Every structure is written in structure tokens, then in C-alpha cells.
Amino acid sequence: TQLLEQSPQFLSIQEGENLTVYCNSSSVFSSLQWYRQEPGEGPVLLVTVVTGGEVKKLKRLTFQFGDARKDSSLHITAAQPGDTGLYLCAGGKGNMLTFGGGTRLMVKP
Amino acid sequence: ETGVTQSPTHLIKTRGQQVTLRCSSQSGHNTVSWYQQALGQGPQFIFQYYREEENGRGNFPPRFSGLQFPNYSSELNVNALELDDSALYLCASSLQRGLAAPYEQYFGPGTRLTVT
């Protein structure tokens, strides 16, 4: 059983569309991180959020940490084929990370 | 600055054999964590090493063991391999600065283990 549930598990969209990926938990985390993983590679850290309600932007990507620090969302504006990959959220407690099951995104040209 | 490296990249073993996977942490990092990632799933935490001692363990049996060396590199050993051990094994390094600091990990490319 995953402590962090990501939805949707799979998403296939056309270039230019917007999308949101959700990461939900019943546990409170001290930090929440988002990673992106491409086939044959390890996850690459995109962002860390630590404060409830915090919003961070990374170009076309917007990350939000829930007020209660139990959930997070990733919004991508005007998706591009280069955004294709596996998006993973990970909750931090102390020095440990718990990963969600991932959202596999495919952006078609 | 050198990133996290892992070796080998791919490995094929037979059920019942033993395997050792290696990881060199990023320069300046003092903590190494190992994860198992089955196809289509998120990484599952195996264990973490800090200052050469195990500093936390996930829900994996004792046949999964590890070491961390004085230069902070690490090994993951798996004995009595089973078919379900087939997965991508990821090593991540980080700088532990105290429990209050957000914990960011930097991953290597992984070792793809196939058990037949």
C-alpha cells in the first residue's frame, strides 16, 4: 500500500494542452518533492516545497503544497513533447523519503 | 562536481545467486539511500547509510544488506536471489544536515537487475 497516492496513473495529451497531477496522503510530511524520470535513467529532482500552502513555479510547471502538508499538485501549462516522462512525488519525514507510484505522462506532437 | 554513479548498468543473474551493486555518491554528500523500482512503479526504500552505519530500513528481508565506505561510496548486496528481485536498483546520495532541513536526494542512473 502506497502512503502517497498519485493520480492519474497515466495521462496522454496533445501538445499545447494543460494538465494537473495530484499527490495525496493521509500523512503529514515535513517536505514534498517532485521528480521526473525518463526511461533508463534515475529520477531528477524538480522542486522541493516545505511550507503549507507554498507555491513554486519552474517555467511552465507550477507546484503547490497543501495547507495541511498532506497533499501536493503539479500543473503543467502548454505541455510539450519534451515533458513526456514519469512524474514522481515524494514525501519527506526526517531523513526519509516515501515515493508515490508515479504518473506516466505522454505528450503527443 | 561529479554526480552519482552506479555500476554495473545491467546485470543478469540466476535464481539463488548473490549480487553486489555499487554506488559512488555525489561529491560532498554523506548519506546514501538505496531503492528498488519495479517496472511501472515508484521507487521503494530499501535502506539508508549515514557515516557507514545503517540509518533506516524499509520493508525488505535481511538478504538485502549494504555497506557504506569512508569515502561515502556504498554497496548493495542481495543473497539468494528470487525472480521478484528483478527491478531497477537506484542509489541516491544526499547531504544530511539535521532533521529540520528538507531532504533532497540525487539519484544515479540505476542498475537494471534481471533474475532468471
Side-chain angles (χ1 to χ4, degrees), chain A residues 66-95:
Chain A
D67 291 341
R69 291 187 290 137
K70 293 182 179 181
D71 53 82
S72 180
S73 64
L74 157 61
H75 182 79
I76 301 179
T77 304
Q80 298 177 3
D83 295 328
T84 293
L86 178 67
Y87 288 83
L88 295 159
C89 66
K93 282 188 182 182
N95 59 356

Side-chain angles (χ1 to χ4, degrees), chain A residues 2 10 30-31 33 35 37 40-45 47-48 50 86 88 92-102 104, chain B residues 33 35 37 40-45 48 55-57 88 90 96 98-99 101-110 112:
Chain A
Q2 294 277 4
F10 301 96
S30 56
S31 67
Q33 288 150 37
Y35 292 80
Q37 184 178 23
E41 298 181 10
V44 175
L45 179 65
V47 77
T48 300
V50 297
L86 178 67
L88 295 159
K93 282 188 182 182
N95 59 356
M96 302 297 176
L97 280 183
T98 300
F99 279 84
R104 189 162 299 280
Chain B
S33 303
Y35 293 84
Q37 186 177 24
Q41 297 183 22
Q44 298 290 314
F45 175 68
Q48 180 185 96
N55 187 40
R57 188 178 184 93
L88 180 67
L90 294 162
Q96 199 169 137
L99 296 180
Y103 187 54
E104 297 179 347
Q105 298 191 3
Y106 296 87
F107 285 82
R112 171 73 61 190

Side-chain angles (χ1 to χ4, degrees), chain B residues 59-114:
Chain B
N59 189 25
F60 279 81
R63 59 189 185 84
F64 285 78
S65 63
L67 283 172
Q68 187 182 31
F69 300 100
N71 65 354
Y72 302 122
S73 64
S74 177
E75 286 182 357
L76 164 64
N77 298 290
V78 187
N79 293 322
L81 284 166
E82 300 177 0
L83 296 179
D84 285 348
D85 295 334
S86 294
L88 180 67
Y89 287 85
L90 294 162
C91 164
S93 76
S94 57
L95 178 61
Q96 199 169 137
R97 297 168 288 171
L99 296 180
Y103 187 54
E104 297 179 347
Q105 298 191 3
Y106 296 87
F107 285 82
T111 293
R112 171 73 61 190
L113 173 65
T114 302

